[in-house]
Amino acid sequence: MNVQSYIEEREWEGRKLTIYLPPTYAISERSYPTVYVHDGGKLMGACFRYMERLFCEEKVEEVIVIGVHSACRNDEYTPWPTDAVTEGRPVFGGAGRAYVDELADAIKPWIDSVYRTKPEPAHSGLIGGSLGGLISLFGAYFRPDAFGRFGLLSASLWYEGALAQLAQWPVPPKEQTFYVSVGNREGQSKVNRQREMIPNTLALCREWRARGIHPQSLKLEIVDGGTHDFIFMAKQFPEALAWLFPHTDRDRYAQSGLGTSFANVLQLQEAIPGLVPTEGAARVPYAVPGTEQIDLVSGITGLSYRIFIHVPLKPAPPEGYPILYAVDGNAYFGSLAEAMRLVTRHPLGLPPGVIVGIGYPSEGPFVAERRFYDLTTLAKRDGLRPDGSAWPVNGGAELFLDFIEQELMPLIGQRLPIDRSRQSLFGHSLGGYFTLHTLMTRPHMFRSYIAGSPSLWWDDRLLFRRLPEWEQRKDSLEQAPELMIMVGTKDDKIYESAQEYYRALLPYRDQAFSRLVWSEFAGEGHVSVLHPLISPMLRFLFAEAGKELRI
């Protein structure tokens, strides 16, 4: 007999169902697990031939898939009513509990009576994408008596109040299993709550893990480059099946090609929730002696970073090494590390310090798409860039700072003895804007801030408009930071705006800054200023007061 699958269109009490029967259903007497897929099973329909291949190759247990259609997903896939995220769009009706109860109390019993199923919760799943992923998650709490396997594919965890409510509920028990996927580009171009898609998804997984969810109950898949589109959700559907319904009871973590499980997160540093070492790239030697690099995926942004580290040969002082963090690490780290290696070699040179470059997995000096996102606050950009290219997505500075403060700095602090009272930040161009933004919004993060050729034009000179905030801020700082602005005289408008900004800060110098320094370099332009500024910057940051230097 020819072994084949069947798709049947059925209806129950006015609810349309698309039912997929696996290849061996017609020639066997055994019972099968069931998976209820929202949005009429479109996720399954986009890849069911590939799904069948996994069945036939015995990589995934055969399942009956029930595609449940909905006339109004904004109502049925939401746990409570709330306003639309965009003006003019439909509101969210919040009828999710009634929908899940209908699945559990009516549709599922009918399916179990008509087809050979394994009716227990351990063999019954809910899978959905976007709002369908959201209601699958809440289905785990609403009806644990009916469902035990849950696929959350780009689940809409930006939904108002969702994280707060989940934090009030207990961590799912060992008997429930979750596959969570999210693209690390989801929501980046949004200006509403949907912008919180990535951090909220990762925050939920971190929260569950910190509260002791069983290691084999949760898998997080971060899809590199993935956006909030059906193409990515459909691609993750068979991955979710493979995790939730493996062909045998073998360890799920042994399955290949299915990404990094959240249980294996933090093999590099157990105490920092979220960081994922990139496979095969935990430590790769860099060309400059005394340096190394680490590729990481942030558990906050979902994005990958290449971290360059200069480790001094000299031992750390009792209080630990002072440290400089530099953004755009692909471009600047090599020069900074080599300069630091040279100026600390002499007994009367600079004392040793650590340099950390924050970059991206790329061989080029700049990754325009990533730096525009990480180094900027959200701003509307019309038209084209001066070079004729489109403006990249912007506005990720706060998440990038969360990554640095909550993940990267603790990681470095665990690996090396660091003087936390002498941490500094350097950025050039957009990185200079980012440095000044950090000084304005999180002055506690660093003692010293170095802004090279800062792009003060960003967002119609936002940082100039925020200058009055220094009047309120100056008396509230526990420790006055120090700021050095460095620019080349041939940098035209950048030079003029930087000088204007420095002069605007002068009224606050005595109360808001421990040091406020202007440094200009005659004849240097926007890029050529980089190497001349390194030496005075290192002296500013690392030199001991009153000590004569011979370097």
Side-chain angles (χ1 to χ4, degrees):
M1 180 182 292
N2 184 32
V3 178
Q4 64 182 42
S5 59
Y6 296 88
I7 295 180
E8 303 178 349
E9 299 294 341
R10 304 289 293 266
E11 186 173 305
W12 187 91
E13 297 290 329
R15 174 80 69 174
K16 183 180 177 182
L17 305 174
T18 298
I19 300 169
Y20 168 89
L21 300 176
T24 64
Y25 186 86
I27 61 171
S28 76
E29 297 298 325
R30 64 188 179 91
S31 299
Y32 295 80
T34 53
V35 178
Y36 293 79
V37 182
H38 312 296
D39 287 305
K42 288 193 298 182
L43 289 168
M44 177 271 295
C47 57
F48 78 96
R49 295 300 183 195
Y50 177 61
M51 182 177 70
E52 288 183 342
R53 172 192 154 191
L54 297 177
F55 292 159
C56 294
E57 294 177 356
E58 297 187 345
K59 294 180 178 178
V60 180
E61 184 179 6
E62 290 187 53
V63 297
I64 297 174
V65 180
I66 302 95
V68 184
H69 295 255
S70 174
C72 186
R73 64 196 310 273
N74 268 30
D75 289 346
E76 293 191 322
Y77 298 169
T78 53
W80 48 74
T82 189
D83 294 334
V85 292
T86 303
E87 186 176 353
R89 301 288 293 175
V91 299
F92 299 103
R97 179 60 193 259
Y99 167 70
V100 173
D101 285 343
E102 179 187 343
L103 290 179
D105 295 331
I107 295 176
K108 185 178 185 300
W110 181 75
I111 291 291
D112 292 337
S113 69
V114 173
Y115 299 95
R116 299 192 310 276
T117 68
K118 297 179 179 180
E120 299 82 8
H123 303 292
S124 305
L126 290 176
I127 298 180
S130 193
L131 286 175
L134 179 71
I135 199 59
S136 295
L137 170 59
F138 277 87
Y141 288 94
F142 291 159
R143 296 306 300 266
D145 59 313
F147 305 103
R149 302 284 180 263
F150 306 93
L152 319 180
L153 313 184
S154 299
S156 298
L157 282 166
W158 49 262
Y159 197 78
E160 187 172 8
L163 280 192
Q165 179 59 68
L166 291 166
Q168 300 301 314
W169 286 340
V171 171
K174 178 182 178 181
E175 292 73 27
Q176 291 185 326
T177 302
F178 295 82
Y179 177 93
V180 181
S181 66
V182 64
N184 64 8
R185 299 299 198 277
E186 295 196 35
Q188 288 185 348
S189 61
K190 298 291 185 179
V191 295
N192 53 38
R193 292 197 307 270
Q194 292 168 316
R195 191 174 180 83
E196 302 168 358
M197 180 76 184
I198 301 167
N200 284 9
T201 301
L202 303 184
L204 173 66
C205 292
R206 287 199 310 275
E207 171 76 8
W208 277 356
R209 185 174 181 274
R211 293 170 59 191
I213 192 170
H214 192 274
Q216 295 189 34
S217 294
L218 174 64
K219 176 170 182 172
L220 169 65
E221 180 86 9
I222 300 173
V223 182
D224 188 32
T227 51
H228 195 76
D229 288 297
F230 182 75
I231 185 174
F232 290 104
M233 300 178 207
K235 182 179 178 181
Q236 297 310 122
F237 179 75
E239 311 291 322
L241 286 181
W243 172 255
L244 298 171
F245 297 94
H247 185 263
T248 68
D249 290 333
R250 65 178 181 258
D251 186 354
R252 287 186 173 93
Y253 304 141
Q255 297 181 49
S256 61
L258 299 177
T260 304
S261 72
F262 205 76
N264 290 335
V265 168
L266 306 183
Q267 290 177 346
L268 186 63
Q269 294 292 338
E270 179 62 25
I272 307 168
L275 287 176
V276 184
T278 300
E279 183 178 357
R283 290 191 182 186
V284 181
Y286 186 76
V288 178
T291 65
E292 60 186 50
Q293 66 187 43
I294 304 171
D295 282 4
L296 299 171
V297 175
S298 168
I300 292 174
T301 69
L303 298 170
S304 57
Y305 298 93
R306 178 159 293 166
I307 307 303
F308 307 90
I309 307 171
H310 162 74
V311 181
L313 294 177
K314 296 180 181 179
E319 62 275 13
Y321 292 117
I323 185 170
L324 167 64
Y325 290 88
V327 297
D328 283 318
N330 301 69
Y332 311 142
F333 175 77
S335 298
L336 290 169
E338 191 62 77
M340 194 66 178
R341 206 163 64 95
L342 291 174
V343 298
T344 57
R345 77 192 190 284
H346 194 280
L348 294 180
L350 289 179
V354 172
I355 295 177
V356 174
I358 310 170
Y360 310 105
S362 171
E363 298 303 315
F366 296 104
V367 182
E369 174 199 6
R370 291 295 309 280
R371 69 188 303 266
F372 259 93
Y373 180 69
D374 283 340
L375 302 179
T376 59
T377 51
L378 186 61
K380 183 178 181 182
R381 306 303 303 175
D382 296 322
L384 300 175
R385 296 171 63 189
D387 63 2
S389 62
W391 289 98
V393 174
N394 65 70
E398 290 304 314
L399 285 176
F400 186 44
L401 281 169
D402 287 343
F403 159 68
I404 295 173
E405 184 172 18
Q406 299 175 30
E407 295 182 325
L408 181 58
M409 295 173 83
L411 170 64
I412 299 300
Q414 288 182 6
R415 298 190 59 200
L416 296 168
I418 299 299
D419 183 352
R420 299 181 186 276
S421 69
R422 295 188 63 193
Q423 302 189 110
S424 52
L425 175 66
F426 164 66
H428 172 262
S429 191
L430 281 176
Y433 172 87
F434 174 78
T435 297
L436 293 172
H437 167 74
T438 305
L439 172 62
M440 285 290 297
T441 59
R442 307 194 193 191
H444 63 277
M445 280 185 64
F446 303 95
R447 186 186 80 168
S448 307
Y449 295 81
I450 310 294
S453 307
S455 297
L456 290 162
W457 50 267
W458 183 258
D459 195 12
D460 296 325
R461 292 166 49 108
L462 172 65
L463 290 179
F464 282 94
R465 301 200 304 273
R466 297 188 63 183
L467 279 168
E469 294 180 24
W470 280 107
E471 190 65 39
Q472 292 77 36
R473 185 183 303 272
K474 63 183 182 180
D475 298 323
S476 62
L477 297 175
E478 294 183 6
Q479 179 182 4
E482 53 187 26
L483 170 64
M484 188 180 209
I485 299 176
M486 313 179 81
V487 64
T489 61
K490 294 294 186 180
D491 203 358
D492 302 330
K493 293 182 179 179
I494 294 289
Y495 174 83
E496 295 173 6
S497 62
Q499 191 174 62
E500 180 185 356
Y501 191 77
Y502 168 74
R503 289 172 176 167
L505 290 175
L506 287 176
Y508 311 105
R509 176 169 56 185
D510 295 337
Q511 291 179 290
F513 297 95
S514 59
R515 282 194 292 175
L516 176 61
V517 176
W518 167 266
S519 185
E520 62 181 55
F521 300 85
E524 302 296 346
H526 193 65
V527 176
S528 67
V529 74
L530 285 166
H531 284 89
L533 67 74
I534 289 177
S535 181
M537 175 175 67
L538 295 181
R539 291 197 301 271
F540 180 83
L541 297 176
F542 297 108
E544 296 177 359
K547 180 180 178 181
E548 179 184 0
L549 300 179
R550 296 181 182 178
I551 52 176

